[in-house]
Amino acid sequence: MAAAAALGPGPLRVGFVGAGRMAEAIAQGFIRAGKVEAQHIVASAPSDRNLCHFQALGCQTTHSNQEVLQSCLLVFFATKPYVLPAVLAEVASVVTTEHILVSVAAGVSLSTLEELLPPTTRVLRVSPNLPCLVQEGSVVMARGRHAGSSEAKLLQTLLEACGQCEEVPEAHMDIHTGLSGSGVAFVCTFSEALAEGAIKMGMPSGLAHRIVAQTLLGTAKMLQQKEQHPAQLRTDVCTPGGTTIYGLHALEQGGLRAATMSAVEAATCRARELSKK
């Protein structure tokens, strides 16, 4: 990996400060895609509760956050947002100009991160979502003042192991949280409703949920591979006087479109509120 040359000779070593589900998902993606060897990943956490998942992957673990930075030059901070300032204060003394630090903590701005770290530290933010657990996530990233194109390229190349990864302006991070982070729950709610409609009409529950999951998966793949606007695919399914137009009419009467837009807006506004706090 050419971009990794900036981190010095030898194999790429990646650290995780915080060992929760998202950190595990990212590490698992790196390992499965062959981006980083498990033995070259180091994770830290206060207790063994989450570290056992990293150990099962074959990674190294420790209770010392400083040890992670002393072992790795690329480090992901995957702590709770309210914990992150204290963690950064703890490790600041061992941060060097060679480190690339990546925050996964929602709502903590790049300017705040840079204020808490030594001057000229290369900092980036990423916003992943839960499907990273199955390497089908949506991830956006933004770079700080001292992170250049080589750091962004390295991070994007790595995170593509977890799904789709795009660089965006930092202002889009909270929107991504409302759209894709919270959107997982919105899609699951719609999935439940679709299955319950079939159950109401007499289909067994397990069968209905399996068919819905496959329908969502297939539709998503068509939208990705054909690069069509959703309206075009909807039109392809909708024949005059057929079943789909009757169903769409019912959805419009129920206000699905407006309710969905309002849900993304509400989740985004809440993300922005939390960022300010």
Side-chain angles (χ1 to χ4, degrees):
M1 190 184 305
L7 294 178
L12 178 63
R13 295 178 62 83
V14 178
F16 289 88
V17 174
R21 291 190 75 194
M22 195 55 68
E24 179 193 351
I26 294 172
Q28 189 170 273
F30 292 171
I31 295 167
R32 286 184 175 177
K35 304 277 187 179
V36 187
E37 293 184 25
Q39 64 190 26
H40 296 143
I41 291 177
V42 185
S44 66
S47 70
D48 291 327
R49 185 166 61 95
N50 292 325
L51 290 177
C52 62
H53 300 296
F54 276 82
Q55 291 164 357
L57 291 172
C59 304
Q60 301 177 54
T61 60
T62 176
H63 295 304
S64 169
N65 296 330
Q66 288 195 354
E67 185 179 335
V68 174
L69 277 86
Q70 290 165 340
S71 303
C72 308
L73 294 179
L74 175 61
V75 179
F76 288 80
F77 288 83
T79 68
K80 299 292 185 185
Y82 67 89
V83 173
L84 187 56
V87 170
L88 293 179
E90 176 195 345
V91 302
S93 63
V94 296
V95 173
T96 71
T97 55
E98 296 180 331
H99 279 103
I100 299 173
L101 305 185
V102 183
S103 171
V104 187
V108 183
S109 69
L110 285 167
S111 60
T112 298
L113 294 168
E114 289 173 340
E115 286 173 8
L116 295 169
L117 290 163
T120 73
T121 301
R122 295 178 290 176
V123 181
L124 301 98
R125 279 184 66 189
V126 300
S127 174
N129 71 347
L130 195 58
C132 285
L133 285 167
V134 291
Q135 287 71 60
E136 291 293 350
S138 171
V139 186
V140 295
M141 49 175 280
R143 62 174 104 160
R145 290 178 298 157
H146 307 294
S149 58
S150 61
E151 289 81 16
K153 177 65 176 175
L154 168 62
L155 186 59
Q156 186 171 16
T157 300
L158 285 172
L159 289 173
E160 283 173 350
C162 301
Q164 174 182 283
C165 179
E166 298 190 38
E167 184 175 2
V168 300
E170 188 178 19
H172 291 178
M173 300 287 280
D174 289 334
I175 303 173
H176 181 266
T177 298
L179 171 63
S180 190
S182 300
V184 173
F186 306 156
V187 171
C188 285
T189 300
F190 182 60
S191 174
E192 277 187 289
L194 279 176
E196 286 166 357
I199 294 165
K200 179 182 179 183
M201 300 311 296
M203 182 176 283
S205 175
L207 177 60
H209 283 286
R210 290 195 300 275
I211 290 174
V212 168
Q214 186 61 38
T215 301
L216 293 176
L217 176 63
T219 303
K221 283 189 174 181
M222 288 187 72
L223 289 172
Q224 277 193 330
Q225 293 174 8
K226 291 180 175 292
E227 296 185 349
Q228 289 180 324
H229 191 281
Q232 180 60 54
L233 184 54
R234 173 176 54 79
T235 300
D236 291 345
V237 178
C238 194
T239 56
T243 61
T244 305
I245 191 62
Y246 274 73
L248 287 172
H249 186 206
L251 289 176
E252 292 293 349
Q253 286 179 318
L256 174 73
R257 194 182 299 255
T260 303
M261 292 171 67
S262 294
V264 175
E265 180 182 10
T268 301
C269 289
R270 180 55 178 161
R272 287 173 175 165
E273 288 174 8
L274 294 173
S275 296
K276 291 176 182 178
K277 292 180 180 180

